Amino acid sequence: RGPITHPGYECPVGRQYGKHSIWEPDARESSAAAAECPALACATCSGLRLTVASAAAGCFRMAVLSRPDIVSWSVTKLGHWDVRSPEQIFGRYALPASGALLDVGSNLGWFSWLFAQGGRRVYAVEAFPTNQRAYRTTLCLNPAWNGSVTLAATAVGGPDAAGPCVVSGSAGDNAGNGVLRCGRAEGCEAARAGGLACEPATLTTLDSLLEGWGDPRFAVVKMDVEGAECDVLKGGQRLFSRSPPRFLYAELKQPHVEACWREAALRHGYRAATPWRGKERHFV
């Protein structure tokens, strides 16, 4: 198959990996990217590497993790993670013509990039410094998005949450799945002894971020914070008191998250738009 093109980037022809196509840059492109974005010049220093992502709107260069990580593997081997366009998330429901994305727990930024490709304003929140470096490096690789994407490099919690906090990667093939722990007794020693990346993290509330951003109007709020969704909602009531988003999208695999998410949706006048999807119970 010949190259697929879209404005600004040409998709490489993938080589086969079983029944899948691997979207890998060649050595020349890797060197050029490292010259543009220094975090890619030393994989052992930054923990990042370059790949080429294939979304429905076209291909783009993306920084992924060098450690075993399911999102990085999927983007490298399959070209994408989970979905290839925002429309795949919402099924028969059309996105509003305007409005930004709020991406809470952005990980490596896959959902941010899908919306940025479509010209949407993006506000992202990510606690894990390893993922923050990958996110900023992808922005470096795609400078056309710089003016439309804002990253808050912090954890968010409830109004009574208190630090200090650390965030560590997960074991197995999920290195980018940051786990936040807060409290004076928390530290990184145990995580690092187990070979996991672990770094200090700042903590605030979503309300504080929204106020600082000037209460943007959101078309979509996506939230995936590994069980902390209830606390984030408690500290993020400005979402609903100012200009409520059209869609809420969350991972409901944990029963307490599903309970508080459904309660909040009912209280603020939302209804289920799509059935839950996949083992992670993604729900709109």
Side-chain angles (χ1 to χ4, degrees), residues 73-274:
W73 182 94
S74 181
V75 175
T76 301
K77 305 302 183 189
L78 310 181
H80 68 279
W81 166 249
D82 199 29
V83 295
R84 296 185 68 235
S85 72
E87 289 72 23
Q88 283 185 272
I89 300 171
F90 302 105
R92 63 188 177 90
Y93 294 91
L95 282 170
S98 61
L101 166 71
L102 176 59
D103 189 357
V104 183
S106 59
N107 196 274
L108 302 183
W110 181 253
F111 291 96
S112 293
W113 313 140
L114 294 185
F115 280 79
Q117 270 192 314
R120 298 270 179 174
R121 188 74 169 86
V122 174
Y123 295 85
V125 183
E126 175 55 43
F128 195 12
T130 300
N131 291 342
Q132 295 164 11
R133 285 191 288 274
Y135 197 103
R136 291 189 178 109
T137 302
T138 298
L139 279 179
C140 175
L141 292 165
N142 299 275
W145 298 341
N146 274 315
S148 62
V149 176
T150 298
L151 173 64
T154 182
V156 285
D160 300 323
C165 301
V166 298
V167 61
S168 60
S170 299
D173 64 352
N174 213 356
N177 189 57
V179 178
L180 182 73
R181 302 189 307 280
C182 297
R184 295 193 179 280
E186 296 294 348
C188 283
E189 292 79 8
R192 289 172 179 165
L196 301 178
C198 183
E199 300 181 60
T202 59
L203 179 65
T204 187
T205 64
L206 191 53
D207 278 341
S208 294
L209 292 177
L210 295 175
E211 183 177 15
W213 289 333
D215 292 303
R217 187 168 63 86
F218 295 109
V220 177
V221 173
K222 169 254 175 184
M223 195 176 296
D224 183 356
V225 287
E226 299 305 315
E229 286 83 353
C230 301
D231 289 334
V232 174
L233 283 176
K234 289 176 185 176
Q237 289 303 299
R238 292 177 78 98
L239 269 178
F240 307 107
S241 63
R242 300 288 169 152
S243 180
R246 174 72 180 278
F247 292 107
L248 306 173
Y249 179 55
E251 179 182 284
L252 305 184
K253 67 180 178 181
Q254 300 190 43
H256 75 282
V257 173
E258 180 169 6
C260 75
W261 194 262
R262 288 184 180 276
E263 187 277 329
L266 183 65
R267 176 158 38 95
H268 295 291
Y270 288 86
R271 60 185 174 85
T274 64

Side-chain angles (χ1 to χ4, degrees), residues 15 183 194:
R15 60 185 176 84

